[in-house]
Amino acid sequence: MPTLLQACSPYVPSDKALRNSPLPDMALAINAASAKLAGRVAEETRRTLIRHMAVINSYYSNLIEGNRTLPHEIRAAQQGEFSADPAKRDLQLESLAHIEAQNWLQDQSPGLDKLFTADFIQAIHRQFYRHIPNTFRELKNEQGEVIEQVIPGDWRSKPVTVGRHHPPPPETLPQFMQQFCETYHPSRYSGDRKVIAVMCAHHRLAWIHPFADGNGRVMRLFTDASLRALGLESEGVWCLSRGLARSSTQYKAALAHTDMPRQGDYDGRGQLSESALLAFCQFMLETALDQIQYMDELLALDAIQARIASYVQARNDNRVSGMGQLKEAASLVLYSAFLQGRLKRAHALELTGMPERSARRLLSQLKQEGLLTEISPRSDLYWAIPAHAEPWYFPQLAPA
């Protein structure tokens, strides 16, 4: 029976190949940029951003698979508002299932020893597919006939072909996945090699194609969780899937190209092409760094302060559809809530610079419109990102 090392080696590029590549420096840059981004926001604000970005991540990861359920449609579904079209409703439910899987992973916060096990990878698939509509568990042939049912968390039971690639036969999957987890456990690598190994694992998991369906979503969820477990604390504030979706054609081509067998004596010593693996890792690292830097620029204090002020001005210029006027004092209150993570009510009242009755009316308006949230009527106030403010706070984050 073939082993993982024989069938899809090299599992990471050789030290010699890495020394002649930009990958180690890129991995260091990602660690530094992620740490910088993590230091930009208070803990409560970080949690708000992660909750908001779960919808964005769901949108982009599903978009890669051909599901274009827009963020406002996903948020409508979160509020129990579904399309009357059964097909669109199922797509909304699929997006919600992806968010549920993300939330589960956040709550689990798995360490590397737990994450890099075959059982846990199956659990990710199970958490995703347990909420998927039954219509999406049916795999059909070109004639529209159901040929297989996806069982949440189970390895695929039939041979498949993905483009020109023939993944391992189903009877070998338990062994392959055990070897995959042992081979890519980050304890085997040091320093910058840890992040590089995670990016290599992203392709090799696609190469194994362990599930009948849902492999792309699962491997992106697994990669996100792996980066968090490595200590990239800002992962979740930035969204790798956004970058992959914006370069979807290149991403899919890179995955397919990395399936290529070794091309002669100067292309490593494994069964697959080392140069293709290097190129794939560079693409993934470039994408991650681009998304970290994008969010870092958005969350720079002077930039977010200016965009909050622009939103308030847009309200007063009647440029925010369906929303009325908003006192200018709201800008300072909202920016302070972003900056500090939480605001004492007395401090929020002081920030308005208004008489108490007027200040209370303003805070009530900000809460009613979702710009501030509270745990209870006496709790601190927290910054929030309602749909009507998102295009102003985070331009180009996602389609309106």
Side-chain angles (χ1 to χ4, degrees):
M1 186 179 292
T3 67
L4 175 66
L5 298 184
Q6 293 171 336
C8 64
S9 59
Y11 39 97
V12 296
S14 66
D15 287 344
K16 178 181 179 182
L18 288 173
R19 283 195 298 270
N20 294 323
S21 80
L23 269 59
D25 287 342
M26 293 176 70
L28 291 173
I30 284 173
N31 278 298
S34 181
K36 179 186 174 187
L37 177 57
R40 278 212 184 276
V41 293
E43 177 59 23
E44 293 84 357
T45 299
R46 185 183 76 89
R47 291 175 188 162
T48 296
L49 287 165
I50 288 174
R51 286 193 299 271
H52 186 80
M53 290 298 290
V55 173
I56 304 302
N57 195 29
S58 176
Y59 165 67
Y60 280 115
S61 192
N62 284 312
L63 182 63
I64 293 168
E65 307 302 326
N67 169 359
R68 194 175 187 273
T69 305
L70 293 169
H72 77 270
E73 296 171 319
I74 299 172
R75 293 193 181 97
Q78 288 180 313
Q79 301 301 316
E81 301 170 11
F82 291 92
S83 172
D85 182 334
K88 289 184 178 180
R89 177 188 175 90
D90 282 352
L91 290 173
Q92 286 177 297
L93 289 168
E94 182 184 45
S95 297
L96 293 185
H98 190 273
I99 292 170
E100 288 289 333
Q102 290 180 75
N103 293 341
W104 176 80
L105 275 168
Q106 287 281 352
D107 291 341
Q108 291 284 310
S109 188
L112 294 171
D113 287 343
K114 183 175 182 179
L115 182 58
F116 280 79
T117 63
D119 286 346
F120 197 79
I121 294 173
Q122 287 180 299
I124 296 173
H125 187 271
R126 187 178 302 113
Q127 288 296 322
F128 177 36
Y129 262 85
R130 67 186 294 190
H131 300 292
I132 287 285
N134 287 333
T135 53
F136 288 165
R137 297 186 188 183
E138 297 176 345
L139 301 184
K140 300 179 181 180
N141 59 20
E142 294 179 357
Q143 289 73 42
E145 301 165 334
V146 177
I147 57 174
E148 188 174 0
Q149 289 279 347
V150 179
I151 300 175
D154 280 13
W155 305 133
R156 61 179 162 83
S157 60
K158 295 184 178 180
V160 293
T161 300
V162 182
R164 298 181 179 179
H165 172 52
H166 300 282
E171 63 271 16
T172 68
L173 290 174
Q175 181 199 18
F176 264 90
M177 289 307 300
Q178 180 183 347
Q179 292 171 358
F180 169 87
C181 292
E182 293 171 355
T183 299
Y184 284 108
H185 193 296
S187 64
R188 293 174 56 97
Y189 308 94
S190 60
D192 53 50
R193 301 305 197 262
K194 293 181 183 292
V195 173
I196 293 170
V198 166
M199 297 312 187
C200 292
H202 187 87
H203 171 266
R204 294 319 195 222
L205 188 55
W207 186 93
I208 296 170
H209 198 86
F211 302 106
D213 197 26
N215 291 279
R217 265 86 50 103
V218 168
M219 71 193 194
R220 287 187 289 276
L221 289 168
F222 177 75
T223 298
D224 291 343
S226 298
L227 293 173
R228 282 196 300 275
L230 285 180
L232 273 67
E233 295 180 5
S234 65
E235 200 290 322
V237 173
W238 57 276
C239 173
L240 179 62
S241 288
R242 178 179 181 271
L244 298 177
R246 288 164 65 88
S247 303
S248 181
T249 301
Q250 186 179 356
Y251 171 51
K252 292 174 182 178
L255 282 167
H257 183 68
T258 313
D259 294 339
M260 183 172 62
R262 177 186 176 204
Q263 303 293 295
D265 292 341
Y266 296 98
D267 195 19
R269 292 293 179 267
Q271 297 294 311
L272 302 182
S273 169
E274 183 176 58
S275 61
L277 184 60
L278 282 164
F280 177 78
C281 287
Q282 183 167 341
F283 167 74
M284 294 291 287
L285 293 172
E286 286 173 346
T287 301
L289 188 57
D290 175 70
Q291 292 306 302
I292 297 171
Q293 291 172 340
Y294 167 73
M295 288 304 296
D296 187 63
E297 291 171 4
L298 284 182
L299 297 175
L301 297 185
D302 56 345
I304 192 70
Q305 184 177 27
R307 288 197 302 280
I308 290 172
S310 293
Y311 166 75
V312 174
Q313 185 61 53
R315 288 283 299 270
N316 294 325
D317 292 343
N318 299 314
R319 287 181 287 131
V320 182
S321 178
M323 307 302 295
Q325 302 279 302
L326 192 58
K327 296 291 187 183
E328 293 291 339
S331 293
L332 181 57
V333 175
L334 295 175
Y335 175 65
S336 298
F338 167 84
L339 186 64
Q340 299 175 33
R342 61 170 67 193
L343 281 179
K344 297 291 184 185
R345 290 172 184 263
H347 182 44
L349 292 170
E350 291 175 4
L351 287 170
T352 67
M354 301 165 65
E356 183 174 349
R357 182 174 294 181
S358 298
R360 290 189 181 280
R361 279 200 299 268
L362 176 59
L363 293 187
S364 178
Q365 180 186 4
L366 295 177
K367 289 185 292 180
Q368 289 173 0
E369 295 178 352
L371 291 157
L372 292 176
T373 60
E374 59 187 1
I375 297 173
S376 73
R378 295 180 179 273
S379 73
D380 293 343
L381 300 172
Y382 301 86
W383 185 70
I385 315 167
H388 53 85
E390 184 198 85
W392 301 91
Y393 288 0
F394 302 125
Q396 300 180 343
L397 180 65

